[in-house]
Amino acid sequence: MKRGALKRALGIYWWVLLFFLYLPLAVVVLFSFNSINSAAIFESFSLRWYYRLLANDQIMSALWHSIVLAMSSSVIAVLLGTLIGYGLYRHRRRGLGWLIVLIYLPIVMPDIVFGIADMTFFVRINALTGWLAPGLGPMILSHVTFEIPFVALIVYSRFVGLDPTLFDAAKDLYASPVKRAWHFIVPAIKPALISAFFLSFTLSIDDFVISFFTSGPESSTLPIYIWGAIRKGVTPEINAIATLMIAAVIVAAIISLLVTRRRPQTPPEGR
């Protein structure tokens, strides 16, 4: 096959793949603006389902829980995951490479196994101490545990890409550990921290399985609400919720991409 023909074939394959990936999402978005309650016929453009969504206290409560859960778990995961990533980098030559395997385990483990394990753990703790009853608290802890490995790997890969002599240069300039962390390490890994935060936020917003096993009756999130409502049939109101979630994920991905692609400006000559 000639190179030009191969290039055209790969281009066609690319567009076909994108079509099948995003067509279902486009249909969901389209029918969220349908003026009638129909999953087969689009009559006319309307925002009625978004107005109904905003007036639904149960949906607003689920949205609030999703935002609180995603924000709090992402912040905690970034803090703890950064420390783990830095530790893996500093001790990478001391025969601790096997720790990477422990970091990868929560990533490759099926969500249902993770969810059941979290539920069993919190039920035991609650039975012994009366703490951590199913609700927002255990959900935050559960989300932190599966977000930390992603943060640690992102931060670790950023540290590996840095010039090791920069750390020695900071020490030679008599910078204290606090000053090295604040004026060198944090700015150097800032793109990785922002990317890790938005990735954690996206993972938390989208999660259903782990949230389902650790949630309580008063801590339903949007994915849990959608799962319960969709058993009665797909309605434009559900499509509107899904559209808002899709938009939130897209915005988070765009911000993360813009931040990671931004490069520091070169200072003018003569300064």
Side-chain angles (χ1 to χ4, degrees), residues 78 82 151 154-155 185-186 189-198:
V78 168
T82 299
V151 177
I154 292 175
V155 172
I185 294 179
V186 172
I189 65 171
K190 184 179 178 180
L193 296 178
I194 296 176
S195 298
F197 173 81
F198 282 110

Side-chain angles (χ1 to χ4, degrees), residues 100-133:
I100 295 291
V101 178
L102 297 180
I103 298 297
Y104 272 111
L105 278 179
I107 296 177
V108 300
M109 186 180 299
D111 286 348
I112 191 168
V113 176
F114 213 103
I116 293 174
D118 286 335
M119 179 188 66
T120 304
F121 173 77
F122 289 125
V123 168
R124 289 287 184 181
I125 293 296
N126 181 256
L128 293 174
T129 64
W131 298 347
L132 299 178

Side-chain angles (χ1 to χ4, degrees), residues 157-253:
S157 64
R158 177 61 177 171
F159 275 119
V160 171
L162 294 177
D163 187 350
T165 59
L166 295 176
F167 293 90
D168 298 329
K171 292 180 181 179
D172 293 340
L173 293 174
Y174 302 101
S176 65
V178 175
K179 289 184 177 180
R180 289 201 301 269
W182 184 252
H183 295 288
F184 166 58
I185 294 179
V186 172
I189 65 171
K190 184 179 178 180
L193 296 178
I194 296 176
S195 298
F197 173 81
F198 282 110
L199 177 60
S200 299
F201 183 87
T202 303
L203 292 172
S204 179
I205 284 288
D206 291 344
D207 178 74
F208 165 74
V209 177
I210 295 176
S211 299
F212 177 78
F213 281 104
T214 55
S215 65
E218 302 297 329
S219 59
S220 176
T221 60
L222 278 180
I224 296 176
Y225 176 86
I226 293 174
W227 178 81
I230 205 171
R231 291 182 295 177
K232 302 176 183 178
V234 179
T235 65
E237 194 172 10
I238 299 298
N239 291 334
I241 299 174
T243 300
L244 294 178
M245 294 183 67
I246 293 171
V249 172
I250 290 176
V251 170

Side-chain angles (χ1 to χ4, degrees), residues 250-268:
I250 290 176
V251 170
I254 291 175
I255 294 176
S256 177
L257 183 62
L258 292 176
V259 170
T260 54
R261 283 193 172 184
R262 187 175 60 185
R263 294 290 183 268
Q265 297 180 353
T266 304

